[in-house]
Amino acid sequence: MLAQKLHLLRHNFLSFVSSRTGSDLTRRQYDVIVVGGGHAGTEAAAAAARLGAETLLITQKITTIGALSCNPSLGGVGKGQLVREVDALDGLCGRAGDWAGVHFSILNRSKGPAVWGPRAQLDRERYRQFIQSELLSTPRLTVLEGSVDELLVSQPNPEEPGHHRVTGIRLVDGSHPILSSSVVLTTGTFLSGSLFMGQTTSPGGRIGDVPSCAGLSYTLKETLGLRVGRLRTGTPPRIVKESVDLSLAQLQAPDKQPTPFSFLNTHTRCKPEEQLPCYLTHTTPGVETVVRESVHLNCHIQQDTKGPRYCPSIESRVLRFPGRRHQVWLEPEGLTSDLLYPQGLSMTMPPDLQLRLLREIPALHRAEIRTPGYGVQYDFVCPTQLTPSLQVKSTQGLFLAGQINGTTGYEEAAAQGLWAGVNAGRTALSLPPMALSRTQSYIGVLIDDLVGRGVTEPYRMFTSRAEFRTYLRPDNADLRLTPRGFEEVGCVTLRRYEKAVSVRDGLQEALMALQSVALSSTRWREKLGNISLSENKSTTLKCSIGSGLWLGHSDFQRHVPKPLLHCLGCVLRIVVLPCH
Amino acid sequence: MLPCTSWGLWRSAILTLKTFRASPSRRGLCIPTRAVCDAETIFALSSGHGRCGVAVVRVSGPASSMVLRNMAGLTQALPSPRTALLRRITDPQSKELLDRGLVLWFQGPHSFTGEDSAEFHIHGGPAVITAVLQALGSLEGVRPAEAGEFTRRAFHAGKLGLTEVEGLGDLIHAETEAQRRQALRQMDGELGRLYQDWGYRLKRCLAHVEAFIDFSEDELIEDGVLNQVDSSVRQLEAEIERHLKDERRGERLRSGVQVVIAGATNAGKSSLLNTLCQRPAAIVSPIAGTTRDIVETSLDIGGFPVLLSDTAGLRDSSDSVEREGVRRARQRVEQADLTLVVVDSTQLPPDPQLVPAFLQEHLSTVLPSPSPEAGMEAASDRVLLVLNKSDLVPEEQRERTEGELRESTGLPPACFLSCYTSTGLEDFLTVLQSRVKTLCGDPLSGAPSLTQARHRAHLQQSVQALIQYHQYRDQDLALAAEGVRLALTHLGRITGRVGAEEILDIIFRDFCIGK
């Protein structure tokens, strides 16, 4: 499957970009305009286009579309579920992860399939390439480089609720407005964003990018009267790999056999043996000393009087939980990158002190910093002002997704982006908006929490937020969402739908076939190892669809009863339920 | 019933609002869109209906001060809170004098409902009450309260927990001394505190399991977190089990001890009922089979509530109505907390030595066959033998029989009694009272007892769910956690719902979780 994707990745994709952007932009009207090319924006644009809407994606720099601006990883516990669900609805990030991953592991293997967390370290360059090539080959999707100056609004459609209606956007260059009945804003940390490092503050949403969105900010706050709040986040310094003494850190190997995120993929692009390791090390008391000594030089932390409940930076960890050892993960940034990403060391102190702090950790005693860590403060729109379709309640056709809604994380952004894109597309095509239930998906939990409860700290997905966690498993996301995504929502392509249906039918068939086999419990144990079975002379297995705990066992495939031979492909997803 | 599931929601909404008020200028705080305060002001007659010396009318809500000013002619300052003031109470429109009475002002949050409140203590004549209520109703933004609305507002304001509200309801309905004590104890929040404590500990268990599930792969979650949870869950299970094994004492005290009079026809069962309730509640006649249906009456025995039922005499009958009566009688005996088996003393064998065996035989025909787990001992705790018509038995024979019965084992206590002459009634009442007291327990000693079947059901389900935790603990931690979640949900039906945010609060407080 992945091999088929290869031909899509054009080596000359940048020249391809220009052919659909800039000067020869002839259209002045689109069904959907998406502002922002991050995780939310790319999923939104792709989803709207899949739905059949003529879509325009506007981003400041085409080269940063699909950039991983913080950690080089995707998935994890809770987040992995979101990636699987985005993939089940035919989103991009799962396949991009399979294409760009260099270290795959399933977290929580020992804790029950509902909370397994598929995760991967990514090659930044590959991820960007995949997303860009995917977007640029999506029919009905145009990408435009530019900065949005103003959101155009007019009187609302009186038949629907709301005080305003979106009619399009105007770019900074002052050219003609571009009209659209749906606009998705995914401006991330750029809404009144300011960067913090030590005692210096500068406007911006990401280092190296020009600040923007001043006009948008004004429209949202003043024209539309939306309530905004302020949140903060941060990123660690990037370390030169050569300068790290990895022999002093603990090697963390990936899974021997990488598990793809996407239901379409049977294997990842990275071969098992090509995977890169991660390293684990710990903070020392010296780190605590540097943090304490630098507090007065650290604007970001000083303002952090009423910060989030969790500890976003090493400063807050040390100050909140003193006298402890904290974990630091050294993660690869890609196959060809010479950098390491120190997960857990997000910091905002002055650069010279950042270096001092790093060097207090044995493995980093000679470490060199390529780019220092920094903090970002930005505005978010209180998400209780949104509907479950992620439309602003007061403004018809205006959708928000990603960090602008107060969330943190790529996966959370991608999930909202996809759903905002779906509804922007539906609105443009005069279809009624749709909501996902929290009983059926993590995306539903995420959106329901946001629009129902609001946020006071950056919202991150945890499995503990899902009341129906044991059903919302990563392994069944396709069965839960793909058929619905095709039949009702319209965001799933036929190819994926057919695959999901054949998997669903195959599983049913395999289940039935398996349950028709009756063997003595001794014989079953010979085949399956020590499982709990009722002690009848002849017994069938009690099975269900889940993540293969037993039947995926290679021994089983050797001893498989004959009626099951033709469903071997499916047995990986069937579990034998223990007898109680 | 109160909307218990919305409790957590309300409380968090209120808390958020308070935070907001404290720092109105702070950015980044979202106000929940749900409206929090009841804008309407309500009033009601809080004392009972009917003619009485003093009646109390209560007003609660933002317009209370306006009401007080208008009705009590207070042009200047309000009276100092919680101080009675004698005022002329007038109609706000016509200024007509309605009554002279005491008025009280309670400034929120220091009031029953947590809102601004006022009370009018007026004369209890129906016309005065009607006039005052009508005058109140004529004021703008003021309306009559719905049933239970004052309590609901107190509940929503966090003034009362759910078990306290239930205790308050019980206190208002308490008819006997022991019921009053139990209700007061519950209203004080003692039962609530017990359940809250379990809820808190369970919440912590869940938070630690959830922390282990969501964060142990990325963060340092100390070893042994799960082992601690194991032992906490086990301890909680044991404590709830112990609480459940109270033989339903608290519930019995709340709803009354079911005492059933049973026995053969014409043994004097209805006479016993009439003697105990001191009125001719049941028809008494020398004809066997007079009582056919159940005759019920409630009694206060030594401060404990008793629901006494007289039943049809047990015999085989060809009359279909009587057969139904006998069926009902047997059913009642099965559900009884205490059965008074009435025996006609004149039917006892003349040889006192044969009496114990005779009674044993007789009991087996009256009582249902004991279930295997409840042995004979438990059954004899639940039975009293009443040997009626003792006036027709020679004194000497009675004494010898009594002696014989004292010697014999395995029989429930037996009392000679004459409903006709009331001889032996005192002794019988003493025995009965001590039995009833044992069945209800002392409401003031020991741990507060379970008072409602609803609580029992949820606690039982809670324990069941905790068993699921152990069952799955080593196989599938997500399913094990589901057990704790379920247990907490059931407990939450008593103490108030627990949301995911509360669990996260504990996680982030107890563990250092990074981004």
Side-chain angles (χ1 to χ4, degrees), chain A residues 102-179:
Chain A
V102 293
H103 170 123
F104 289 85
S105 59
I106 302 264
L107 306 184
N108 271 350
R109 271 269 191 211
S110 61
K111 292 175 203 152
V115 295
W116 286 8
R119 187 176 187 278
Q121 296 298 143
L122 305 173
D123 181 305
R124 290 180 189 277
E125 198 50 37
R126 283 188 176 183
Y127 193 89
R128 215 161 50 84
Q129 281 173 5
F130 183 93
I131 294 284
Q132 291 183 4
S133 105
E134 190 75 18
L135 286 185
L136 297 171
S137 60
T138 301
R140 292 181 293 278
L141 177 60
T142 309
V143 180
L144 172 68
E145 200 164 84
S147 264
V148 174
D149 185 39
E150 194 188 347
L151 193 64
L152 305 174
V153 291
S154 72
Q155 291 301 311
N157 173 358
E159 283 161 27
E160 280 162 36
H163 306 303
H164 312 275
R165 182 167 57 90
V166 153
T167 55
I169 55 107
R170 193 193 304 278
L171 294 174
V172 169
D173 62 14
S175 54
H176 293 290
I178 307 174
L179 302 180

Side-chain angles (χ1 to χ4, degrees), chain B residues 29-108:
Chain B
L29 193 92
C30 280
I31 307 306
T33 47
R34 302 176 186 96
V36 170
C37 47
D38 289 288
E40 286 174 313
T41 298
I42 53 171
F43 67 89
L45 174 66
S46 296
S47 51
H49 291 270
R51 213 165 270 123
C52 54
V54 177
V56 177
V57 174
R58 240 187 333 186
V59 182
S60 176
S64 297
S65 59
M66 179 273 285
V67 170
L68 201 58
R69 281 204 174 88
N70 274 312
M71 300 268 302
L74 294 160
T75 46
Q76 302 289 305
L78 291 163
S80 56
R82 300 181 299 282
T83 314
L85 205 62
L86 181 65
R87 299 295 301 177
R88 290 156 55 87
I89 293 162
T90 55
D91 186 293
Q93 260 80 43
S94 65
K95 303 292 171 203
E96 184 196 342
L97 180 67
L98 302 176
D99 191 14
R100 225 184 296 270
L102 295 180
V103 296
L104 286 105
W105 163 242
F106 302 89
Q107 188 163 25

Side-chain angles (χ1 to χ4, degrees), chain A residues 16 36 79 135 146 150 175 285 333-334 359 364 371 434 448 538:
Chain A
F16 180 66
K79 288 166 174 275
L135 286 185
E150 194 188 347
S175 54
E333 293 239 323
R359 292 186 170 182
L364 304 177
T371 49
M434 293 191 87
D448 190 49
S538 169

Side-chain angles (χ1 to χ4, degrees), chain A residues 463-509:
Chain A
T463 68
S464 66
R465 296 189 191 272
E467 293 83 355
F468 302 92
R469 176 169 67 191
T470 47
Y471 169 61
L472 306 183
R473 299 190 309 271
D475 66 78
N476 65 7
D478 57 341
L479 304 179
R480 283 187 277 129
L481 297 172
T482 306
R484 227 191 122 201
F486 179 81
E487 291 157 9
E488 297 172 40
V489 186
C491 66
V492 171
T493 49
L494 182 65
R495 183 171 80 105
R496 183 185 286 267
Y497 174 66
E498 283 172 349
K499 164 124 198 208
V501 168
S502 84
V503 166
R504 185 180 63 191
D505 297 347
L507 277 170
Q508 286 305 335
E509 202 182 323

Side-chain angles (χ1 to χ4, degrees), chain A residues 108 111-113 229-230 233 309-311 317 321 324-325 327 329 382 453 460 462-466 469, chain B residues 28 30 210 212-220 222 476-478 481 485 501 505 508 511 513-515:
Chain A
N108 271 350
K111 292 175 203 152
R230 201 139 175 92
T233 181
R309 293 171 296 182
Y310 60 87
C311 306
R317 300 183 132 202
F321 292 89
R324 290 199 198 178
R325 243 163 46 122
Q327 286 184 330
W329 299 87
C382 295
R453 309 178 64 97
R460 176 185 158 182
F462 309 117
T463 68
S464 66
R465 296 189 191 272
R469 176 169 67 191
Chain B
C30 280
E210 297 288 6
F212 197 76
I213 287 176
D214 272 338
F215 304 109
S216 66
E217 296 265 351
D218 287 332
E219 313 282 348
L220 266 182
E222 294 82 349
D476 187 323
L477 196 60
R485 282 180 171 200
E501 284 301 307
D505 277 339
F508 292 126
F511 303 101
I513 306 290
K515 191 177 144 190

